[in-house]
Amino acid sequence: MGSVSLKIGDGTARFRRATFCSSAANILMLLSVIITNLFALYAFTYTNPTTHSTDAVRHSPNNISLVSEHVSLILKQIDASQKKLARMEKELLGYESIDLSRPNIAAELKLYLQPHPLPLGKDSRSGITEMASSVGHSCEKSVDLLTQFTTYKVSGPCPDDWSLGQKLILRGCEPLPRRRCLAKMVNKINVLHPFPSSLWKPVGDKMVQWSGLGCKSFSCLNSKQLSRDCVNCFNLTNGNENQRYVRARSKYDFLIDDVLSMGSAGIRLGFDVGGGGSGNFAARMAERNVTVVTATLNVDAPFSEFIAARGLFPLYLSLDHRFPFYDGVFDLIHAASGLDVGGRPEKLEFLMFDIDRVLRAGGLFWLDNFYCADEEKKKALTGLIEQFGYKKLKWVVGDRVDKAGKSQVYLSAILQKPVRV
């Protein structure tokens, strides 16, 4: 399987599978060329000690010219071999740049991806001489949509195309390129409530953008089940959301105050990963002077704007994106069924390792009402958790019957990250 090569100066990368047979054949071809060149060079430079008497003949002008031609040919072959080796390296690594010479590529995209020389020349620490802007490697697969996204009037208003950008993100084109246009804004002057009263004040329909969405009001959204963790989740005055985390509905619901009491050295900074889109976990934590960043996308609803209107911190990124945080910065990470990214088991492994990376030693990982489709899914998840050696402070797993009478497996746990040497 191919791997990624991140080379300074290149714009973006895509993955291409290189077969073992073709790679081996290319390597053998390169070795044969190099060995042939070495033998030829040896033949022309070797002098037999028993034939010194023929030196005058050998160094005649015609022979010297012939040797020069052969040496020149050998040097050309070596240069060609080096270029072929570079091409083979790219093929073996599966790396290619976006071809900016393709027709219909937006001029802004070309300008953005072109490497820019450093103003003071070569950097003494890194050794680089130019900087390259980056986009997700999968952008190459959706280059037509990417061109559409980067087609706009410079310094003018941005097209009403946030849904196009999100479609690119969901296709793996993340991060998106920066743009030189002014984003459309909703006038929120005199409608934002002061903090902390904003945490549980209803958010008005006019405070968010509804373009590209099926619903045009929060009452419409509350009538739909947007996800397993978002049922009537925009209703901040009635329903279950304003009681969540402070009143248990089942044995799988843990109370925030109980969890905070388990944290060593205190809980100050948290990260909500796939724990529901309305920001209620962050709101309850904010009431307890804990700052929580909520990862979200606007899938079927304006989650990011809703969370921000409450005075909370939404982070607009997918769970396929490496978290833009340094190692071990969070005291608490909260995750619910949104953690189930689907696909191959390796995908969940990559996500779990990144969660472990940004969680400090002694920090808490709160797995909240994680839905396991079957017993095999539960075993895979629990086996993955065991790899990290977390201490189980609380662990509840079992069946729960849904409204249709079907048995479902749920897991809730509070895990403490160990100190690793």
Side-chain angles (χ1 to χ4, degrees):
M1 186 175 75
S3 62
V4 182
S5 175
L6 300 178
K7 183 178 179 183
I8 294 296
D10 285 332
T12 210
R14 68 175 179 179
F15 294 88
R16 186 176 60 186
R17 192 177 298 276
T19 63
F20 177 79
C21 294
S22 63
S23 302
N26 288 332
I27 292 174
L28 289 175
M29 183 184 301
L30 178 62
L31 289 175
S32 64
V33 171
I34 294 175
I35 292 172
T36 302
N37 289 335
L38 290 175
F39 273 116
L41 185 61
Y42 176 81
F44 280 108
T45 58
Y46 176 74
T47 301
N48 191 335
T50 62
T51 58
H52 289 293
S53 60
T54 61
D55 282 349
V57 178
R58 183 178 300 162
H59 291 88
S60 64
N62 291 336
N63 287 340
I64 293 176
S65 176
L66 182 61
V67 170
S68 299
E69 291 178 3
H70 280 282
V71 170
S72 177
L73 179 61
I74 290 173
L75 293 176
K76 289 181 180 179
Q77 289 178 339
I78 291 175
D79 181 63
S81 299
Q82 290 176 339
K83 292 180 179 179
K84 183 175 179 61
L85 180 61
R87 291 196 302 268
M88 289 170 58
E89 182 182 7
K90 277 190 175 183
E91 183 176 344
L92 290 171
L93 293 175
Y95 175 87
E96 268 190 357
S97 300
I98 288 181
D99 184 6
L100 298 180
S101 65
R102 292 172 54 175
N104 302 323
I105 296 289
E108 281 290 282
L109 181 59
K110 292 181 180 180
L111 182 63
Y112 176 78
L113 291 180
Q114 284 177 353
H116 302 280
L118 296 179
L120 300 179
K122 184 177 180 180
D123 182 74
S124 58
R125 293 185 179 181
S126 63
I128 63 175
T129 59
E130 57 187 13
M131 292 294 294
S133 302
S134 63
V135 295
H137 73 272
S138 293
C139 290
E140 197 279 335
K141 300 177 183 177
S142 305
V143 70
D144 292 337
L145 291 179
L146 187 63
T147 294
Q148 183 180 344
F149 181 75
T150 52
T151 300
Y152 54 86
K153 182 180 179 181
V154 176
S155 299
C158 293
D160 189 7
D161 60 354
W162 72 264
S163 56
L164 171 62
Q166 182 163 277
K167 183 184 295 184
L168 285 166
I169 291 175
L170 294 174
R171 291 187 178 191
C173 183
E174 187 181 27
L176 292 173
R178 287 174 171 169
R179 301 197 294 185
R180 298 187 295 169
C181 58
L182 303 174
K184 181 181 178 181
M185 294 294 169
V186 174
N187 186 5
K188 301 178 183 179
I189 299 177
N190 299 326
V191 294
L192 290 176
H193 300 287
F195 188 87
S197 62
S198 61
L199 293 175
W200 300 103
K201 290 286 187 180
V203 177
D205 294 338
K206 294 182 179 180
M207 293 181 64
V208 302
Q209 300 182 54
W210 296 98
S211 60
L213 297 173
C215 282
K216 305 299 179 183
S217 67
F218 288 113
S219 61
C220 172
L221 292 175
N222 284 325
S223 66
K224 300 178 181 295
Q225 180 173 346
L226 299 178
S227 68
R228 187 175 298 276
D229 298 312
C230 185
V231 181
N232 196 27
C233 65
F234 295 101
N235 189 343
L236 302 181
T237 56
N238 300 307
N240 296 322
E241 286 301 310
N242 60 354
Q243 298 298 317
R244 198 173 182 184
Y245 306 114
V246 294
R247 181 177 297 175
R249 297 170 296 177
S250 70
K251 65 179 181 180
Y252 306 100
D253 294 334
F254 300 157
L255 303 184
I256 277 185
D257 291 331
D258 294 340
V259 175
L260 291 178
S261 66
M262 301 178 190
S264 61
I267 304 296
R268 308 148 303 156
L269 190 62
F271 186 27
D272 190 7
V273 185
S278 60
N280 286 332
F281 178 79
R284 287 302 181 192
M285 283 294 187
E287 292 175 331
R288 290 153 177 82
N289 296 320
V290 178
T291 301
V292 171
V293 178
T294 304
T296 183
L297 285 175
N298 286 2
V299 179
D300 299 326
F303 291 109
S304 295
E305 291 175 287
F306 186 86
I307 293 172
R310 302 177 69 180
L312 303 171
F313 187 169
L315 183 65
Y316 191 73
L317 85 167
S318 72
L319 295 186
D320 291 322
H321 194 293
R322 175 184 165 95
F323 298 137
F325 305 113
Y326 192 66
D327 303 351
V329 296
F330 289 107
D331 305 309
L332 169 72
I333 293 183
H334 173 261
S337 290
L339 187 68
D340 186 7
V341 292
R344 296 178 300 176
E346 293 86 354
K347 192 172 184 180
L348 180 58
E349 287 187 20
F350 277 110
L351 176 56
M352 285 295 298
F353 273 93
D354 209 27
I355 288 175
D356 179 81
R357 178 184 65 82
V358 298
L359 181 64
R360 69 166 173 83
L364 302 182
F365 176 44
W366 180 351
L367 194 59
D368 185 9
N369 280 267
F370 186 87
Y371 168 69
C372 303
D374 48 38
E375 189 68 20
E376 182 178 352
K377 183 78 172 182
K378 185 193 74 173
K379 289 181 179 179
L381 177 62
T382 54
L384 177 59
I385 292 174
E386 292 289 342
Q387 295 182 25
F388 295 96
Y390 283 19
K391 181 180 180 181
K392 296 179 181 178
L393 303 181
K394 197 169 184 179
W395 182 278
V396 179
V397 62
D399 296 338
R400 186 165 64 188
V401 179
D402 62 8
K403 295 180 180 179
K406 182 180 178 181
S407 179
Q408 298 177 328
V409 180
Y410 280 84
L411 169 63
S412 289
I414 305 297
L415 308 169
Q416 188 172 41
K417 181 177 176 178
V419 177
R420 305 190 186 108
V421 180

